Amino acid sequence: MPRALPPSSTDTPAVDCSEAARRWTLVAAILGSGMAFVDGTIVNVALPAIQHAMQATTAGAQWVMESYALLLSALLLVGGVLGDRFGRRRVFALGALVFTVSSLGCAAAPGIGWLVIARGWQGLGAALLVPGSLSLITSAYPKERRGRAIGTWSAFSGVTAAIGPVLGGFLVEHLSWHWAFLINLPLGVALIAICRWQVPESRGAVGGGIDVAGALLATLGLSGVVYALIEAPQQGWLSPGVGIAAAVGISASIAFVVVERRIAAPMLAVGLFRDRNFAGANLLTLLLYAALGGSLFFVPLNLIQVQGYGATGAGASLLPFIVIMFVLSRWTGQLVDRVGARWPLVVGPGIAAGGFALYAVPGVGGSYWTTFFPAAAVLGLGMSITIAPLTTTVMNALEPGLAGTASGVNNAVSRVAGLIAIAAFGVVLTQGFDARLQAGLQGLSLPHEVVRGIVEQKARLAGIELPRGAEAARDIIDHAFVAGFRRVMLLSAALALTSSLVAGVTIRDPRR
């Protein structure tokens, strides 16, 4: 779900502009953030078709998601600073241009390597779009009218989140995977035109410089760790490439923390984590969003490659999750006012853990309503109870002048969590898949060369294409994937439960 990223100060004055300009600014903010947020869900549904068309391994499919998330996660905080310094409309429009052109590059990609690079450029564009969306709204609307404008932005974001996976699935199923990216072109052109002729320019208070060193170290650190986790199942943990990447990633991450503690204007103010509620809420975010982002990456692969769903059906499978969150969001916001944030943050992740555990129950086959629907519904209930109290805790932990910083850090934490979890969960699933596949193939009377052909494709997991005469192995492959998938979902449940315990230990209601 989209999460608000407020501007750097709650007291930012509105620019002098017409009512029409304000309305167009709101449209631009909705369109820009919607493109960036929904792109990930659409591409997730399209991944099985992309993997099949490009004969890619599961690691290749992971990189399609990770290259986007990597640049977005590493540069998200920098994007907001660039807008404040050089003009929010200018940087927002530049992000739209980069995102649109790179979407065309994705659609035209002749191979998985090209696609991964183009997705990285998309992530760069999104890093300029996401922090600018609400900054534009805040600069265009006076303080007494911002709440309603931001509420409108939030409502439309919920609608796009619900429509995105279903629309993406329909386009992939009835046209081709290329349309998962081509749909961005008319939206991007319209957004750039609106920015050029309708959106007023604004700037924020500029204090200090742009943390170039922090951005480079964050990108290098995340890249090294993610590369090591994705490539280790194929290359081996002791291979030179994996070892060097891990060492570079860990070293750069340590250097990032050291640099951020010493420079005058860091992109991540480490000292903010001295506040108990802020630190606890972000640790909860790290654990819970690792579970959410990492596990839901593999759901479409299971539904399409193993369960036999079409891309549209796979996209629609999460509608209960999104609808429940949309319906209950106002109620959970009021719940915080009545009982405080601590108990919802204990109960919500606990219920979400039950949803993840339910995803581990289905085998191969069965009705959606008795297999994946209960899991999506329970997970949606748990996240509905969690999100509003979590956002409230983060925003209330620090003084009002740091509201934008608090939300920006929490947003970045959630994205980094998903980025690392997709890579780490791939290791977990691959180990479970390999063990079950080897055991299953030993029980079949297949020629040696046929077995070797299957094993050579094991990096594609459920996307393995069977040679003629080996159709009996399909059931073995499907059950092997489900075995690995169950490990991922149970790990997600454990992370969610841990986040619940973190809330119980760290979160305190300041009113009591």
Side-chain angles (χ1 to χ4, degrees):
M1 287 291 292
R3 305 180 65 192
L5 185 65
S8 57
S9 173
T10 56
D11 298 322
T12 302
V15 297
D16 186 17
C17 61
S18 66
E19 284 300 313
R22 290 192 176 106
R23 288 193 293 269
W24 279 113
T25 298
L26 182 57
V27 170
I30 292 170
L31 191 58
S33 60
M35 286 172 57
F37 284 126
V38 175
D39 184 79
T41 58
I42 291 179
V43 175
N44 213 0
V45 174
L47 270 182
I50 293 172
Q51 183 181 4
H52 175 76
M54 295 188 171
Q55 298 293 296
T57 65
T58 299
Q62 285 176 282
W63 275 117
V64 172
M65 294 298 293
E66 295 286 61
S67 58
Y68 176 86
L70 176 63
L71 272 296
L72 175 56
S73 301
L75 302 179
L76 183 65
L77 295 175
V78 175
V81 176
L82 290 174
D84 286 344
R85 177 176 287 272
F86 297 108
R88 291 163 179 158
R89 182 188 68 176
R90 178 180 298 172
V91 172
F92 187 79
L94 176 61
L97 177 62
V98 173
F99 193 92
T100 304
V101 173
S102 57
S103 295
L104 179 60
C106 290
I112 198 71
W114 179 300
L115 180 57
V116 168
I117 293 172
R119 284 283 287 165
W121 279 100
Q122 265 194 319
L124 174 60
L128 302 179
L129 277 174
V130 171
S133 58
L134 285 183
S135 292
L136 286 175
I137 293 176
T138 302
S139 64
Y141 284 84
K143 187 175 181 180
E144 63 274 10
R145 296 175 57 190
R146 287 175 195 163
R148 184 174 180 180
I150 292 174
T152 302
W153 174 90
S154 180
F156 275 95
S157 296
V159 171
T160 55
I163 294 175
V166 181
L167 176 61
F170 179 85
L171 292 173
V172 171
E173 191 170 348
H174 295 281
L175 296 173
S176 74
W177 65 264
H178 301 276
W179 282 94
F181 302 104
L182 290 175
I183 192 175
N184 292 325
L185 269 60
L187 298 177
V189 170
L191 179 58
I192 294 168
I194 293 171
C195 288
R196 174 65 179 83
W197 284 292
Q198 299 294 341
V199 176
E201 183 61 282
S202 64
R203 286 176 171 82
V206 180
I210 297 172
D211 185 8
V212 176
L216 292 176
L217 287 171
T219 305
L220 187 60
L222 290 171
S223 298
V225 172
V226 169
Y227 180 90
L229 289 171
I230 290 179
E231 298 299 330
Q234 278 70 54
Q235 298 184 27
W237 287 101
L238 299 179
S239 67
V242 170
I244 292 172
V248 169
I250 293 171
S251 300
S253 299
I254 295 172
F256 172 76
V257 175
V258 172
V259 168
E260 296 304 282
R261 289 174 64 91
R262 294 182 177 180
I263 64 175
M267 61 182 280
L268 176 61
V270 180
L272 297 178
F273 291 93
R274 295 192 186 100
D275 183 280
R276 178 175 180 147
N277 275 9
F278 187 74
N282 279 285
L283 180 55
L284 185 157
T285 300
L286 183 70
L287 295 169
L288 185 58
Y289 276 81
L292 186 68
S295 62
L296 294 188
F297 170 83
F298 296 102
V299 170
L301 294 175
N302 187 353
L303 293 176
I304 294 173
Q305 295 180 336
V306 176
Q307 309 297 337
Y309 285 51
T312 306
S317 71
L318 284 177
L319 278 179
F321 172 88
I322 297 170
V323 170
I324 289 173
M325 289 186 62
F326 182 75
V327 171
L328 295 182
S329 59
R330 177 174 294 182
W331 172 76
T332 55
Q334 296 171 348
L335 184 66
V336 176
D337 295 332
R338 288 199 293 265
V339 303
R342 182 169 181 260
W343 282 110
L345 290 179
V346 171
V347 174
I351 295 175
F356 290 123
L358 285 173
Y359 268 111
V361 173
V364 179
S367 167
Y368 166 75
W369 300 107
T370 59
T371 55
F372 294 97
F373 171 77
V378 173
L379 182 58
L381 176 61
M383 293 303 296
S384 297
I385 295 173
T386 304
I387 288 179
L390 179 59
T391 303
T392 301
T393 301
V394 169
M395 301 305 287
N396 289 343
L398 306 178
E399 61 183 79
L402 293 173
T405 300
S407 184
V409 169
N410 189 247
N411 204 311
V413 167
S414 69
R415 294 184 179 279
V416 169
L419 171 73
I420 296 176
I422 289 175
F425 285 11
V427 176
V428 174
L429 194 149
T430 299
Q431 290 177 342
F433 177 85
D434 288 351
R436 184 67 177 267
L437 180 66
Q438 293 287 354
L441 290 177
Q442 290 177 2
L444 292 179
S445 300
L446 293 175
H448 176 72
E449 60 274 11
V450 172
V451 173
R452 184 177 62 185
I454 294 173
V455 173
E456 287 176 349
Q457 296 184 70
K458 68 179 183 179
R460 300 181 64 190
L461 300 180
I464 290 175
E465 295 187 358
L466 295 174
R468 181 173 298 179
E471 289 77 11
R474 173 52 59 191
D475 188 60
I476 299 296
I477 293 170
D478 289 346
H479 281 87
F481 185 91
V482 169
F485 183 80
R486 284 173 170 162
R487 290 189 180 190
V488 166
M489 290 302 166
L490 292 177
L491 176 58
S492 296
L495 288 173
L497 277 177
T498 304
S499 72
S500 174
L501 294 175
V502 166
V505 172
T506 63
I507 304 300
R508 293 292 180 267
D509 188 346
R511 300 175 303 176
R512 300 184 181 185

